[in-house]
Every structure is written in structure tokens, then in C-alpha cells.
Amino acid sequence: MLKPCVKGAIFAALLFGGAWDHAFSETSLVAAPPEFKDIRATLTEAIDAGEIPSMALAVAREGEIVWMEGLGWADREAKVRAHPNTVFAIGSTSKSMTATLAMALSEKGLINIDEGVDEYLDKAELPYLSQAGRYPSIRQLLTMTGGVPHGGGVTGRPEYTVSREDIGNRVELVAYPPGTLYEYSNYSIGLAMRAMERAADSPFDELMRKYVFEPLGMENSSTSYRVGFSKQA
């Protein structure tokens, strides 16, 4: 079993693999310094044991990269090794990036995060919220205090997701009055995403590219699974 500190390192590695991929070439490598040798050995053992397939990691100290490496296989079947530029799916870490987009749109005056979602979506798109007469604000949706229960994914591999256009029809009830309780919820974030699309009159993928990825130089990052993209694991 991996120790908690090592699991934390894995989480960071997956995030860096997606978010910092623009900065490194495929041959970039900074060998682990002596103080990280034991951690590297633990990670390598976990990969060899099949606990995790691969990772790309970068460790910075006072603004300088002190360790940068890819471990394991980006594609085990094709024998393609992971490298520092390998892009990994970061799962629900993307929720924080969605909130970053909301603040960027707020700064541009395109959305007011304290307005109800019904200011941006038609009531016909929100049948269950309309029946309840409860419309959480964008802020409440992003902080998962909007009373919207948890549901399936709303982005990523098409076969596993719910379309953002249909997200309102999937919110079957408002479990709590908005602003009263926290409940982790994919649907909550999905409604916020749909509201941002409507407010800015642009697809979510395009909004993320324009207001988040491009300003940060994240050239290889995407909000959707990219079929055939060679750099992703």
C-alpha cells in the first residue's frame, strides 16, 4: 500500500503533468536529488507492482525545478514510456479550474457569480429547480452549497458523460435550500458550466482555452478527452 505522503505526491504529479506540460520538452529530465531517492524508489515499486501505471512529476523549490521525470508507461501496450510532458487526466481537480474560469468571466463583467442560475438559463431548461422555486447562485453551485445533489460526470470521455445541454433535466430535486449545506456534486458544477456558456455565448471548451489555458501557456491542456492525442496517457 502507498503511504499517504506518497499518494499526495502522485496527486501533485498528475496535476503537474496536465498543467505544466507546455514548459518541458519530451526529453526534459532533472534527476531526483538525494533527499527524494526513497520517494522515487517507493513510486517505482508501486508502478512495478501494478498499483499505478505511470506518472509525470515536477518538484520545484524556490522557483527552481529540482526534480522532473516521467515514470512508468504512458501506453503499456505500445511500450511508450511516460515522460515529463505526458498529459494525464486530472479528474475532479478540474472543478477548481472551472471556478477559475468563473472568476475570469466575472472580472470581464460577463457573469455575476451571486446571481441565480435562472438569470442565465431558461426555466424550461431547469424543470426541477423551477418546480421547487429554488435557484442557487453561481457561487453556491461552485462551492457545492446550492442544494443540488451529486450525479454523473459532465465532461471527459463521451461514453461516460452527461451533455451540458441536458444537465438541467438531470437535476431531479433540490435536496436542501440553497446556501444551507455543503454536498459534493458533479451536477452542481455542470449547471455552473452551462450558465457560463450561456452568459458568455461560447462553448465551455472555448472559454477555458481563451480565459484560462492560453493566458497560462497551457498549450496541451484540454477540457475534453482528445482521441488520438499522442501526448496523453
Side-chain angles (χ1 to χ4, degrees):
M1 292 292 290
L2 293 177
K3 298 178 181 179
C5 64
V6 176
K7 290 182 179 179
I10 292 172
F11 175 82
L14 294 179
L15 176 59
F16 288 140
W20 287 15
D21 56 348
H22 67 284
F24 316 128
S25 71
E26 295 191 4
T27 57
S28 297
L29 173 67
V30 179
E35 61 264 38
F36 291 113
K37 294 295 185 182
D38 289 344
I39 294 178
R40 187 186 186 282
T42 300
L43 295 174
T44 301
E45 289 172 4
I47 291 172
D48 291 342
E51 293 186 47
I52 51 176
S54 61
M55 63 168 50
L57 60 88
V59 176
R61 179 183 294 150
E62 297 181 354
E64 180 181 355
I65 299 293
V66 297
W67 178 20
M68 184 167 64
E69 187 176 4
L71 300 173
W73 300 101
D75 188 330
R76 191 188 304 272
E77 288 73 22
K79 302 299 182 183
V80 177
R81 290 197 171 274
H83 51 74
N85 202 38
T86 299
V87 177
F88 291 84
I90 61 173
S92 285
T93 305
S94 59
K95 290 180 171 64
S96 297
M97 302 177 76
T98 300
T100 300
L101 172 62
M103 298 311 298
L105 296 180
S106 177
E107 288 181 348
K108 297 290 184 181
L110 295 174
I111 197 169
N112 182 342
I113 63 172
D114 290 312
E115 287 185 333
V117 67
D118 58 314
E119 292 293 324
Y120 302 97
L121 300 177
D122 296 334
K123 290 181 173 57
E125 298 176 271
L126 305 167
Y128 297 105
L129 294 181
S130 298
Q131 289 176 19
R134 298 170 176 173
Y135 297 102
S137 68
I138 306 301
R139 184 191 297 270
Q140 290 170 338
L141 292 173
L142 292 170
T143 58
M144 302 183 194
T145 58
V148 176
H150 186 48
V154 290
T155 189
R157 292 177 182 262
E159 62 268 31
Y160 299 135
T161 61
V162 176
S163 71
R164 288 188 287 276
E165 292 77 7
D166 192 42
I167 189 67
N169 292 321
R170 297 301 186 99
V171 180
E172 298 182 357
L173 53 89
V174 180
Y176 314 106
T180 59
L181 292 173
Y182 167 86
E183 180 176 351
Y184 187 88
S185 172
N186 284 344
Y187 282 168
S188 182
I189 298 298
L191 273 178
M193 293 163 64
R194 184 60 175 154
M196 284 187 272
E197 287 183 318
R198 187 63 57 79
D201 192 28
S202 187
F204 180 77
D205 294 359
E206 175 63 20
L207 293 174
M208 284 295 297
R209 182 192 63 77
K210 181 177 180 180
Y211 292 105
V212 179
F213 295 148
E214 285 189 351
L216 294 175
M218 297 167 65
E219 299 172 359
N220 291 326
S221 296
S222 172
T223 56
S224 299
Y225 183 75
R226 298 161 71 179
V227 176
F229 183 50
S230 63
K231 293 182 180 180
Q232 66 193 7

